């Protein structure tokens, strides 16, 4: 025993599930509060008239509260959006379900064949003197954990979509009473999704570990190797959710914008536009369901990466259960911290004016980060022993409490004596947490129309769409600089202190406030939908201004959320890469050897190939959508005059069919690459591929997301006309505005399909390589064996 921990094993067994249950209970309370807004026509009382006050004209008037026709209209539109989203997800999950079963069989066959499906115990991978459970057991349990992760991921996305479609019309109706009330409904609904996802992910992982332990006993190396399937399941579902949802939403969005706004000069979300329901459905299946699965995947993988590295370090060797579950303790405290943070937005402070919306959302990030720093310090103090070793590529890096620092190297043990080991682990998690905040704020600076970068892009619209595109691309490339430095510093600090384990917990630090991050993220699409419903229900322009104000703030926070997802993906995939290299018994990854270098250069190409596929998919789906919308405008008499209803269902079907068909090739590229490279070229080439994909994928993901976000907000800046400069570029329908709409349309697939999907590509390839590492190490490199 290398130093006792303050938190007993029994206490850990209670703390983790209790925190998860608190998270689920809190989300249900928020849901009940949202459900108080009724979707049936009744005379609304103004309720607490001084709450969420009345200080500017966007709030003063309680509009249309006595108009009985508005509520049924909103309810009808909401049910159309909800049905569209549900039917799409069910169709998507049928295809994904087939893949899930096929891939589960593949995992079993590949891992079972490592020892020829033998059920005899075998020497452990890292300590040959001990015996571990057979490879067949790892195959069975990896398959089970893969299915668990996949089902949890699908459930996270589906529940998120259900909550969002439940809340959108309620947000619209509350906007009649004031922007403060509407904000609270939208934010509470986002919180339901955030807490459900964070708590479910934690609870399922905790239960799986405890159930697997009944079989594995003291073989923690095998136990946590099998648990990595959980991360693989989560991310593989997220890939299809993100790509399929992204293609769906952007095909509808591009089609609706190009014909509606540019050609026909009708407002956004106008009920005469045939693609308008598909567009609003898309917000839910792409931005909500896809993003939910994506962040769940990041969370599951960073937990699995930390657990795998810890299991072959002193925590695992000495069976220190509390220290072993340190990653889960961080997530548990994260739920409590986010719970307190959420109350700041919904209960402690009230929004009285439109200009307070964005600062309120940004305060959520700052408050959660500050509180979480304290939370991490407490968890590290009670949950980590005073001295421990960390496995570091064949060495054990020992961190001890001693008077004077000194370095010793004895055979396979590298000793690093330091004055306070738990402080170092705290710094690893803390540096990840704060790097996430920095990436978030840099993203905001480059994508919010309150700052000069986006205003410069808007200004470039004076001379047409071409200059707008040039400025937007330049902004995206430039926005990569600071996030990459933030990621680089956090990698250096965390690796220096605790090797690969440090990087895994730094990723967890970045994701520790996932409940708040998701609440802010989900708030955006809910507000967007609320604006669409207000427009379609024919509510007054004041209501639309309120929902637009909510939506504009949500746009920026969505960009911040994407920044978090990409930053954490970089750290997660590096930690998984480290675990893979250790498991595949590669002593060094030497770039100068041809095997590794060819992998590196091919890996760096993969994000481009993947982006090409997803961009082209959106383009071809949008082409069909544009043709259909034009056809309806030209052939349905009285549609433009508002006397006839468009055929919404055909547009929904075009988006559904296109996204289901088009999500398969990019998905296959990501899922098959590690299997083909590992089997035919071996683990060293695969290590090169993973490193190359990580390095190039992060850059493209950040620049694509920020370019798209900047174009979108440049368009909104001109439309809002809030400043003197913006008014010189407007109004809607002017040439600069048309140029801005074209930029926004070009940026749509960048920010909502290719960019966000790339972070899944780099994580998924790494976690898949780790799961299949035993097979690749034993049977891989067939081509090099033949020649």
């Amino acid at each position: 025993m290398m130093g006792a921990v303050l938190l007993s094993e029994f206490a850990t067994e209670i703390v983790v599930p209790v925190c998860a249950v608190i998270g689920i209970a809190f989300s249900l309370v928020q849901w009940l509060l949202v459900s108080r807004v009724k979707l049936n026509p009744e005379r609304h009382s103004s309720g607490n008239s001084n709450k969420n006050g009345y200080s500017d004209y966007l709030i003063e008037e309680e509009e249309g509260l006595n108009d009985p026709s508005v509520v049924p209209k909103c309810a009808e539109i909401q049910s159309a959006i909800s049905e569209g989203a549900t039917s799409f997800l069910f169709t998507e999950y049928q295809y994904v379900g087939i893949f899930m079963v096929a891939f589960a069989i593949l995992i079993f066959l590949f891992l079972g064949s490592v020892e020829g499906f033998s059920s005899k115990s075998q020497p452990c991978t890292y300590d040959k003197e001990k015996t571990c459970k057979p490879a067949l057991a790892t195959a069975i349990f990896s398959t089970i954990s893969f299915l668990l992760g996949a089902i949890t991921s699908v459930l996270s996305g589906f529940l998120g979509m259900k909550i969002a479609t439940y809340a959108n019309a309620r947000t619209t109706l509350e906007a009649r009473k004031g922007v403060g009330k509407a904000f609270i409904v939208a934010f509470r609904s986002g919180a339901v999704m955030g807490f459900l996802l964070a708590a479910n992910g934690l609870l399922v992982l905790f239960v799986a570990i405890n159930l697997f332990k009944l079989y594995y006993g003291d073989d923690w190396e095998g136990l946590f190797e099998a648990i990595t399937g959980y991360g693989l399941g989560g991310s593989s579902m997220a890939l299809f959710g993100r790509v399929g949802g992204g293609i769906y939403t952007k095909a509808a969005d591009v089609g609706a914008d190009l014909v509606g706004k540019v050609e026909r000069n009708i407002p956004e979300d106008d009920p005469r536009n045939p693609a308008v329901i598909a567009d609003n459905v898309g917000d839910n299946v792409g931005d909500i369901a896809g993003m939910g699965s994506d962040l769940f995947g990041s969370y599951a993988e960073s937990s699995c990466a930390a657990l795998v590295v810890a299991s072959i370090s002193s925590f695992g060797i000495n069976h220190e259960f509390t220290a072993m579950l340190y990653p889960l303790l961080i997530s548990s405290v994260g739920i409590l911290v986010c719970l307190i943070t959420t109350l700041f937005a919904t209960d402690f402070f009230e929004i009285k004016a439109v200009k307070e919306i964005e600062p309120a959302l940004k305060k959520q990030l700052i408050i959660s980060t500050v509180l979480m720093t304290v939370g991490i310090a407490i968890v590290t103090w009670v949950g980590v022993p005073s001295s421990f070793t960390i496995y570091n590529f064949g060495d054990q890096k020992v961190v001890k409490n001693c008077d004077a620092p000194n370095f010793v190297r004895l055979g396979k043990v590298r000793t690093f004596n330091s004055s306070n080991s738990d402080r170092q682990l705290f710094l690893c998690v803390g540096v990840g947490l704060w790097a996430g905040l920095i990436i978030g704020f840099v993203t905001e600076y480059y994508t919010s129309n309150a700052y000069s970068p986006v205003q410069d892009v808007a200004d470039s619209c004076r001379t047409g769409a071409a200059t707008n595109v040039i400025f937007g691309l330049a902004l995206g490339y430039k926005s990569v600089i600071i996030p990459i430095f933030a990621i680089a510093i956090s990698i250096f600090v965390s690796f220096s202190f605790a090797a690969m384990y440090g990087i895994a917990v730094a990723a967890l630090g970045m994701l520790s406030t996932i409940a708040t991050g998701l609440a802010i993220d989900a708030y955006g699409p809910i507000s967007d939908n609320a604006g669409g419903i207000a427009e379609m229900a024919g509510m007054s322009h004041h209501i639309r201004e309120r929902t637009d104000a909510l939506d504009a703030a949500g746009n920026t926070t969505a960009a911040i959320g994407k920044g978090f997802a990409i930053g954490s993906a970089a750290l997660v995939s590096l930690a998984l890469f480290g675990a893979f290299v250790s498991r595949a018994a590669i002593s060094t990854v030497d770039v100068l050897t041809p095997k590794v270098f060819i992998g590196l250069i091919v890996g760096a190409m993969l994000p481009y190939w993947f982006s090409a596929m997803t961009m082209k998919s959106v383009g071809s789906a949008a082409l069909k959508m544009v043709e259909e919308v034009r056809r309806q405008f030209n052939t349905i008499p009285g549609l433009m005059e508002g006397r006839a209803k468009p055929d919404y269902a055909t547009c929904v079907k075009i988006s559904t069919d296109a996204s289901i068909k088009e999500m398969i090739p990019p998905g296959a590229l990501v899922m098959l690459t590690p299997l083909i490279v590992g089997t035919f070229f071996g683990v060293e080439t695969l290590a090169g591929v993973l490193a190359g994909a990580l390095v190039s994928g992060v850059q493209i993901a950040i620049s694509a997301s920020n370019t798209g976000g900047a174009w979108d907000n440049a368009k909104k800046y001109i439309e809002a006309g809030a400043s003197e400069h913006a008014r010189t570029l407007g109004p809607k329908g002017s040439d600069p505005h048309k140029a801005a709409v074209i930029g926004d349309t070009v940026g749509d697939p960048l920010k909502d399909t290719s960019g966000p999907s790339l972070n899944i590509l780099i994580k998924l390839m790494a976690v898949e390589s780790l799961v299949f590492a035993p097979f690749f190490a034993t049977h891989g490199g067939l081509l090099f064996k033949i020649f």
Side-chain angles (χ1 to χ4, degrees):
M1 198 63 180
M2 299 193 70
V5 293
L6 296 175
L7 194 69
S8 69
E9 182 174 328
F10 177 69
T12 308
E13 291 273 19
I14 290 169
V15 167
V16 176
V18 163
C19 287
V21 170
I22 289 171
I24 293 169
F26 183 72
S27 68
L28 292 176
V29 169
Q30 297 297 312
W31 179 74
L32 282 172
L33 291 169
V34 171
S35 67
R36 283 187 182 169
V37 181
K38 294 287 179 257
L39 267 189
N40 48 19
E42 57 180 47
R43 169 76 182 94
H44 286 259
S45 67
S46 61
N48 183 355
S49 62
N50 61 358
K51 178 85 173 164
N52 300 316
Y54 301 89
S55 64
D56 65 14
Y57 86 94
L58 285 188
I59 299 171
E60 269 162 18
E61 308 139 49
E62 297 214 348
E63 297 210 22
L65 285 181
N66 295 318
D67 179 358
S69 68
V70 166
V71 183
K73 266 191 210 160
C74 288
E76 186 191 335
I77 297 160
Q78 184 225 20
S79 75
I81 294 171
S82 183
E83 279 166 26
T86 308
S87 74
F88 166 72
L89 286 181
F90 274 130
T91 312
E92 181 183 76
Y93 294 156
Q94 282 168 4
Y95 285 85
V96 167
I98 297 165
F99 157 80
M100 200 158 82
V101 172
F103 206 76
I105 294 166
L106 208 61
I107 292 173
F108 176 72
L109 294 176
F110 271 58
L111 294 182
S113 68
V114 171
E115 298 283 324
F117 295 98
S118 146
S119 56
K120 291 196 183 93
S121 293
Q122 54 179 19
C124 295
T125 310
Y126 300 98
D127 185 353
K128 299 291 182 196
E129 290 166 16
K130 290 183 182 171
T131 53
C132 284
K133 299 290 182 193
L136 189 64
T138 305
I140 293 167
F141 282 100
S142 292
T143 308
I144 294 168
S145 58
F146 167 77
L147 291 170
L148 269 179
I151 291 162
T152 312
S153 181
V154 161
L155 203 62
S156 301
F158 185 74
L159 287 174
M161 181 279 298
K162 275 294 185 200
I163 305 295
T165 52
Y166 182 79
N168 52 16
R170 288 172 166 79
T171 306
T172 312
L173 293 175
E174 284 295 275
R176 297 178 304 169
K177 299 182 194 170
V179 77
K181 298 236 186 242
F183 171 80
I184 283 188
V185 170
F187 191 79
R188 280 207 162 116
S189 317
V192 175
M193 177 187 176
F195 283 91
L196 264 183
L197 190 142
N200 277 343
L202 177 64
L203 195 59
V204 174
L205 183 57
F206 177 77
V207 169
I209 290 170
N210 277 290
L211 290 177
F212 286 17
K213 217 165 91 179
L214 296 175
Y215 170 78
Y216 275 99
D218 284 346
D219 175 16
W220 284 15
E221 183 190 298
L223 163 63
F224 290 102
E225 193 172 297
I227 284 287
T228 50
Y230 184 69
L232 176 61
S235 251
S236 53
M237 296 303 107
L239 176 72
F240 291 108
R242 254 306 190 195
V243 174
I247 293 168
Y248 185 107
T249 177
K250 289 304 113 182
D253 200 356
V254 171
D257 280 2
L258 281 181
V259 184
K261 282 171 23 185
V262 177
E263 291 178 13
R264 294 281 170 167
N265 224 352
I266 57 175
E268 192 160 0
D269 296 316
D270 191 294
R272 293 171 291 179
N273 194 328
V276 71
I277 292 282
D279 186 6
N280 281 289
V281 169
D283 290 336
N284 294 296
V285 296
D287 295 350
I288 297 265
M291 178 195 63
S293 295
D294 177 4
L295 280 175
F296 167 75
S298 278
Y299 164 75
E301 282 161 339
S302 55
S303 302
C304 292
L307 290 168
V308 166
V309 178
S311 70
I312 50 177
S313 304
S314 67
F315 299 161
I317 295 163
N318 301 331
H319 298 101
E320 297 170 11
F321 191 69
T322 299
M324 190 67 222
L325 288 197
Y326 178 65
L328 274 71
L329 287 169
I330 292 175
S331 305
S332 306
V333 171
I335 289 174
L336 301 182
V337 162
C338 291
L339 193 151
I340 297 163
T341 310
T342 303
L343 297 177
F344 276 94
T346 55
D347 296 82
F348 298 159
F349 294 106
E350 50 192 62
I351 288 194
K352 295 182 176 146
V354 168
K355 62 177 183 294
E356 292 175 14
I357 300 171
E358 207 166 302
L361 292 169
K362 282 199 297 207
K363 276 181 201 151
Q364 286 285 296
L365 293 173
I366 297 166
I367 293 167
S368 61
T369 304
V370 171
L371 290 177
M372 194 63 209
T373 309
V374 178
I376 294 165
I378 295 166
V379 168
T380 312
W381 178 54
V382 300
V384 175
S386 55
S387 110
F388 54 90
T389 68
I390 292 293
Y391 187 86
N392 181 28
F393 301 123
D395 296 344
Q396 288 281 358
K397 177 171 178 169
V398 182
V399 187
K400 268 187 185 171
N401 275 350
C402 260
D403 296 329
N406 54 59
F407 295 84
V408 192
R409 180 148 191 167
L410 304 165
K412 273 288 180 191
V413 179
R414 191 170 75 194
T415 311
F416 171 52
N417 295 343
S418 119
S419 60
N420 203 333
S421 59
D422 50 13
R423 189 188 311 149
Q424 294 183 342
L425 209 50
F426 161 71
L427 285 172
C428 293
V429 187
V431 78
L433 177 67
W434 284 91
L437 189 69
I438 291 165
I439 292 170
F441 280 126
V442 169
T443 308
E444 191 229 0
Y445 173 72
Y446 280 105
T447 55
S448 167
N449 54 27
Y451 304 105
S452 61
V454 170
Q455 291 173 8
D456 290 346
V457 172
D459 194 63
S460 69
C461 295
R462 290 177 195 279
T463 46
T467 41
N468 180 24
V469 169
I470 292 165
F471 269 72
L473 287 171
L475 177 145
Y477 298 148
K478 195 177 172 190
S479 71
V480 173
I481 301 166
I482 298 172
I484 291 298
F485 276 119
I487 293 169
I489 291 166
S490 46
I491 288 170
F492 182 79
V493 170
S494 49
F495 190 88
S496 304
F497 284 145
M500 273 301 164
Y501 187 67
I503 292 173
V505 291
L508 259 177
M510 206 177 270
L511 290 164
S512 57
T513 52
I514 186 173
T516 295
L518 263 171
I520 291 171
D521 244 3
Y523 155 89
I526 291 168
S527 304
D528 192 355
N529 258 207
I533 290 171
E535 184 75 48
M536 283 185 268
M539 293 165 89
S540 83
H541 75 280
H542 284 335
I543 308 274
R544 182 70 217 220
E545 280 173 8
R546 290 173 196 171
T547 55
D548 276 355
L550 293 171
D551 183 24
N555 242 342
T556 305
T557 52
I560 293 174
K562 289 185 185 106
F564 263 95
I566 296 162
S568 61
L571 292 176
V572 169
S573 45
L574 186 60
L576 290 165
F577 176 72
F580 162 72
V581 168
S582 303
R583 182 62 188 86
I586 307 170
S587 50
T588 52
V589 179
D590 185 356
V591 182
L592 296 176
T593 56
K595 273 185 191 178
V596 176
F597 193 80
I598 56 166
L600 199 65
I601 202 159
V602 169
M605 172 273 297
L606 287 174
Y608 289 92
W609 188 359
F610 180 83
S611 298
M613 282 176 158
T614 49
M615 295 281 286
K616 195 157 181 286
S617 300
V618 171
S620 57
L623 200 68
K624 289 182 193 137
M625 187 66 79
V626 167
E627 284 167 359
E628 172 59 24
V629 175
R630 276 183 188 152
R631 183 194 68 76
Q632 291 199 26
F633 273 126
N634 293 332
T635 59
I636 298 176
L639 180 57
M640 269 305 279
E641 293 75 32
R643 292 196 310 273
K645 275 184 86 169
D647 175 9
Y648 297 126
T650 306
C651 291
V652 170
K653 189 175 186 318
I654 287 174
S655 260
T656 304
D657 293 349
S659 54
I660 297 294
K661 187 172 118 244
E662 301 282 357
M663 75 180 181
I664 295 165
L669 173 72
V670 178
M671 299 300 288
L672 295 177
T673 299
L675 292 178
I676 292 167
V677 173
T679 307
F680 293 106
F681 298 94
V683 284
E684 283 160 327
T685 308
L686 181 53
V689 167
L690 296 179
L694 167 61
V695 169
S696 88
V698 173
Q699 329 282 338
I700 306 173
I702 296 174
S703 65
S705 291
N706 290 351
T707 294
W711 276 326
D712 190 359
N713 276 340
K715 176 202 73 177
K716 284 200 164 64
Y717 175 73
I718 295 172
E719 286 175 351
S723 68
E724 194 55 48
H725 174 239
R727 283 192 286 275
T728 61
L729 298 167
K732 287 185 184 180
S734 65
D735 285 343
H737 177 248
K738 282 186 174 165
V741 170
I742 291 170
D744 174 34
T745 312
V746 173
D748 271 339
L750 283 172
K751 76 175 166 62
D752 287 325
T753 313
S754 298
S757 307
L758 279 172
N759 59 53
I760 303 177
L761 170 135
I762 56 180
K763 294 180 307 193
L764 186 51
M765 282 173 39
V767 73
E768 189 182 335
S769 304
L770 173 59
V771 169
F772 286 99
F775 174 81
F776 297 148
T778 315
H779 302 302
L782 294 177
L783 285 180
F784 293 129
K785 284 175 184 168
I786 294 166
F787 297 115

